[in-house]
Amino acid sequence: MITFVLSLVALVLGYFIYGKVVEKIFKPDNRETPAVRINDGVDYLVMPSWKVFMIQFLNIAGTGPIFGAIMGMWFGTSAYLWIVFGCIFAGAVHDYFSGMLSMRHDGCGLPVLVGQFLGNNVKQVMLVFSVFLLVMVGVVFVYSPAIILEDIWANRIFWIFVIFVYYIIATLLPIDKIIGKIYPLFAFSLLFMAVALMIGLFIKQPQLPEVWEGLSNLGAEQFGMSSPIFPALFITIACGAISGFHATQSPLMSRCLKSEKMGRPVFYGAMITEGMVALIWATISSYFFFYGGWKEVAPADLVMQYEQSGKTLIQFFDAPTVVKLVCSSWLGIFGGILALLGVVAAPITSGDTAFRSARLIIAEFLHLEQRTMAKRLIVAVPMFAASIAFLFWQIENPDGFNIIWQYFGWSNQTLSVFTLWAITVYLVREKKPYVVTLIPAVFMTVVCITFILVSKNGFGLSETVGYGIAGATMILSFAWFFTWKTKSGRCQI
């Protein structure tokens, strides 16, 4: 429990100390924000700061800090370090600057923002990459909730239809009509669930692994999970540490803030909060998988099924099952309801804002105003048509969901690489301390390169070759950056 408590304290201190450092570097002021200056009553409008925070938190969270943390803790206590340091020094910095820079550029989407600092060619790549990622998010978060809901009532196709219709409505209506009304409720449920489970941890005081006991791959030791900690851990735990998807969501809320000075609590603060949720679920899963916690929460018939299955704990108890078992056991009937909200509502709410972001990015590229419903439909109809085709492929392909999810994870982190490099260029141009994003940018570049090289779903190279190329990439990244900086005549900070 000591590592868990210290990690929680570190996240809180990170917000108040490093968060202020980052805010001081950006220097928010009293200029009019896009929500006030542009206000179109659809995507640009002023909302209460607390509501913007709750929506931002739910937009960037979904089930990411839950499922990712559960699977990430299979690697052992190194997950604690990645959640804490990744969140404070990479994820929250990434989210803050992407949100604030969007606010400074009329609430523009990520491709426009990246193009502003990395050039038009990169902008075009980012346009395709971002829309593709957002559509993948939307499709994945249609299918996965439908799988869970079919166990309750009706069949999978029915729920896919219902969720997709909701996505269409939520994407087309003004942001305050559905998202502004129901998201704070869902966000509160997600936070309440996390706090209640944290209290449960302190009451139960279960045996937990500590950092000083070793950073080895516990999954490999106990369950034969052979994936190397680097880079698999840093791809698996994305939303709880750093996620490129967040940079597509921050512009949504940059269009709704009345003051730039609310940027730190909304953007940096939401990421720190997400890190806390990830930390709680990582801790619970370590008890569940490595110290017999599954025996406490799993009913007798499920224990029997596991023992007869011949599978390992990790193979048998997937992340959604862990969530449902822990919540219903530790929190009772009310916990079961919260689990349903967390496992079903959270991905659905991430899916609809993903489609909304995609609509705005495409409209921005086509220079189509979105005040009128007709203009929104021009963008939305072909987008949803493509999504339906993608969805049918996923349904027909037995391994379609797993394939999409794996590539989503890598694409998600690759998006953060582009964003971090764009922010770094901005900081250099403005003669601000650029090291705050340079180090995370290089690190995530190496992570993504290594993963695509050594992963069996990538090039499948040996770890020796993959790590060698990744090391060369790190050196070349620094060399490229300082060469560009010298040629551009920027002053040393």
Side-chain angles (χ1 to χ4, degrees):
M1 286 290 287
I2 297 175
T3 300
F4 172 64
V5 172
L6 291 177
S7 298
L8 279 176
V9 172
L11 286 173
V12 174
L13 292 177
Y15 171 77
F16 286 106
I17 299 174
Y18 199 69
K20 285 186 177 180
V21 171
V22 171
E23 182 181 50
K24 188 176 180 180
I25 290 172
F26 187 82
K27 295 182 180 177
D29 54 36
N30 295 317
R31 71 184 70 190
E32 277 192 334
T33 63
V36 177
R37 189 175 64 257
I38 299 174
N39 200 323
D40 64 0
V42 179
D43 299 304
Y44 291 82
L45 48 87
V46 175
M47 288 199 293
S49 299
W50 70 269
K51 186 175 286 189
V52 176
F53 169 84
M54 297 294 266
I55 296 172
Q56 171 73 4
F57 168 68
L58 196 61
N59 280 357
I60 66 173
T63 52
I66 301 175
F67 291 176
I70 290 171
M71 293 184 288
M73 201 60 186
W74 297 345
F75 294 97
T77 53
S78 53
Y80 281 124
L81 299 180
W82 174 229
I83 291 172
V84 172
F85 292 109
C87 191
I88 294 172
F89 298 106
V93 176
H94 167 279
D95 291 9
Y96 177 79
F97 276 113
S98 61
M100 297 303 291
L101 282 174
S102 174
M103 202 183 305
R104 285 277 174 94
H105 291 81
D106 293 333
C108 69
L110 183 61
V112 173
L113 195 64
V114 170
Q116 183 82 16
F117 301 105
L118 298 184
N120 191 58
N121 289 336
V122 179
K123 175 184 174 181
Q124 305 309 318
V125 172
M126 284 298 296
L127 174 70
V128 175
F129 199 83
S130 298
V131 172
F132 181 70
L133 174 64
L134 289 167
V135 169
M136 272 203 299
V137 171
V139 171
V140 165
F141 289 158
V142 169
Y143 197 65
S144 54
I147 293 173
I148 297 168
L149 287 169
E150 72 174 342
D151 293 333
I152 301 171
W153 183 72
N155 59 45
R156 188 177 306 179
I157 300 300
F158 170 80
W159 285 115
I160 287 174
F161 175 77
V162 170
I163 295 169
F164 211 86
V165 169
Y166 164 75
Y167 279 176
I168 293 172
I169 296 170
T171 300
L172 293 173
L173 287 181
I175 197 167
D176 62 333
K177 298 303 180 186
I178 293 182
I179 293 174
K181 286 183 169 59
I182 65 172
Y183 272 40
L185 173 63
F186 289 144
F188 174 78
S189 299
L190 196 59
L191 287 171
F192 184 87
M193 177 173 62
V195 171
L197 291 172
M198 181 176 66
I199 293 172
L201 280 171
F202 284 117
I203 292 174
K204 292 177 178 295
Q205 291 285 313
Q207 183 180 2
L208 298 170
E210 305 289 358
V211 168
W212 50 85
E213 293 174 1
L215 300 175
S216 59
N217 187 338
L218 293 182
E221 292 177 0
Q222 298 194 33
F223 306 117
M225 186 183 69
S226 59
S227 298
I229 289 179
F230 186 90
L233 170 64
F234 304 93
I235 297 292
T236 305
I237 301 181
C239 292
I242 180 172
S243 167
F245 173 68
H246 296 184
T248 67
Q249 300 303 291
S250 294
L252 294 180
M253 293 301 98
S254 75
R255 300 175 175 116
C256 299
L257 279 174
K258 187 177 181 179
S259 169
E260 281 193 352
K261 294 180 181 178
M262 288 305 300
R264 183 165 67 95
V266 168
F267 299 123
Y268 199 99
M271 184 63 226
I272 292 293
T273 305
E274 185 177 8
M276 291 180 176
V277 173
L279 198 67
I280 291 166
W281 277 105
T283 303
I284 288 171
S285 68
S286 69
Y287 170 57
F288 184 98
F289 286 111
F290 300 117
Y291 292 96
W294 65 277
K295 296 178 182 178
E296 173 192 324
V297 300
D301 60 335
L302 196 60
V303 172
M304 186 178 298
Q305 288 178 35
Y306 160 68
E307 291 173 344
Q308 294 174 352
S309 69
K311 296 180 179 179
T312 67
L313 279 172
I314 288 175
Q315 292 171 327
F316 189 82
F317 293 101
D318 58 16
T321 302
V322 173
V323 173
K324 288 188 288 185
L325 289 176
V326 170
C327 286
S328 59
S329 175
W330 287 20
L331 305 179
I333 296 176
F334 190 58
I337 296 172
L338 288 174
L340 183 66
L341 284 173
V343 177
V344 175
I348 290 175
T349 52
S350 290
D352 65 16
T353 52
F355 278 124
R356 189 180 195 90
S357 296
R359 170 177 68 80
L360 290 167
I361 288 171
I362 295 169
E364 202 166 41
F365 173 74
L366 298 175
H367 303 291
L368 277 176
E369 58 85 11
Q370 295 291 281
R371 188 184 297 270
T372 60
M373 179 62 75
K375 295 291 177 67
R376 280 175 254 161
L377 286 170
I378 290 174
V379 177
V381 169
M383 179 181 73
F384 280 117
S387 303
I388 291 172
F390 208 174
L391 184 60
F392 273 111
W393 174 84
Q394 181 181 230
I395 294 171
E396 292 297 322
N397 188 328
D399 201 36
F401 177 80
N402 291 331
I403 292 172
I404 291 177
W405 186 264
Q406 289 163 3
Y407 283 106
F408 161 70
W410 177 79
S411 301
N412 184 30
Q413 297 302 62
T414 302
L415 201 64
S416 73
V417 172
F418 283 102
T419 307
L420 286 168
W421 279 114
I423 297 168
T424 303
V425 170
Y426 157 78
L427 292 173
V428 172
R429 288 181 180 177
E430 296 296 317
K431 297 181 172 59
K432 296 175 182 289
Y434 54 80
V435 71
V436 294
T437 53
L438 174 62
I439 301 301
V442 172
F443 179 76
M444 291 310 300
T445 299
V446 173
V447 165
C448 292
I449 290 291
T450 307
F451 183 80
I452 201 65
L453 290 176
V454 304
S455 170
K456 64 180 181 180
N457 294 309
F459 292 101
L461 301 178
S462 69
E463 291 179 26
T464 303
V465 174
Y467 290 161
I469 296 174
T473 300
M474 180 178 68
I475 296 170
L476 288 173
S477 296
F478 278 116
W480 166 83
F481 171 76
F482 286 108
T483 299
W484 165 81
K485 183 173 175 293
T486 301
K487 288 183 178 180
S488 63
R490 307 297 174 181
C491 296
Q492 180 69 39
I493 302 300

